[in-house]
Amino acid sequence: MRIISGTHKGKRLIAPKNLPARPTTDFAKEGLFNLIGNEFNIEDIIALDLFAGIGGITFEFASRGAKKIISIDENYHCINFIKKTAKELDFNQIDVFKNDVFRYLKKYDTKFDIIFADPPYKLKNIDQVPKLVFEKKILKEDGILILEHDRNWDFSENPHFVKHKKYSNVNFSIFKD
């Protein structure tokens, strides 16, 4: 995994091989952050990274100067990798929590500019992510939810769905209130 832009541009992060993560490809990450950069001044945002895995999106936000990033994953080893790496890179704006994403969404009500969710592609209840985000009203005004998923999901009927972007085999559905 590599950070593609910002203060740590080009920095390679080597995660232990036994971690259950599928990092977002550099191609898809570049497209994603071009999309985000067109709508937000990244230095002003507070972001939530759900199903953070080894933190590829978290570190990209941090390298680009995001004000605050909260990363949630339920895997202890992934969380420890993100914490250790954030400390090594002096990314003080990252807070990392071991938690089930669905439990987190039901319990907390911090408001975010951007929520990025990259659940396991085989997760059966992926459609609950946008449902919970909008029920809990945790997006700030003009905030967006970006959900990474495989080609088998179609969220176009969701009332908050705005658009779909595809980068090779990676799909992003974007939602707004």
Side-chain angles (χ1 to χ4, degrees), residues 20-127:
R22 172 196 31 77
T24 303
T25 65
D26 285 356
F27 176 66
K29 204 172 1 173
E30 194 164 331
L32 171 69
F33 277 89
N34 284 340
L35 185 138
I36 291 169
N38 287 335
E39 294 201 30
F40 294 90
N41 179 359
I42 293 180
E43 292 87 12
D44 295 334
I45 67 159
I46 298 172
L48 175 62
D49 186 1
L50 299 173
F51 306 96
I54 57 174
I57 299 299
T58 293
F59 296 128
E60 199 65 45
F61 273 122
S63 181
R64 292 168 186 247
K67 189 186 306 183
K68 180 90 166 152
I69 309 106
I70 295 178
S71 300
I72 308 295
D73 201 281
E74 67 180 353
N75 184 285
Y76 174 79
H77 299 292
C78 288
I79 291 302
N80 282 342
F81 176 77
I82 296 171
K83 284 180 179 179
K84 177 178 148 277
T85 304
K87 186 174 182 178
E88 288 170 3
L89 298 177
D90 202 28
F91 286 148
N92 299 317
Q93 74 269 50
I94 297 174
D95 286 334
V96 189
F97 301 100
K98 181 186 177 306
N99 204 333
D100 173 82
V101 164
F102 298 102
R103 236 179 279 140
Y104 177 87
L105 289 173
K106 289 174 184 172
K107 186 174 181 181
Y108 296 97
D109 56 6
T110 302
K111 297 229 185 257
F112 299 94
D113 299 291
I114 298 173
I115 299 173
F116 178 80
D118 182 9
Y121 282 1
K122 294 190 185 312
L123 186 70
K124 301 238 186 299
N125 58 341
I126 189 174
D127 57 326

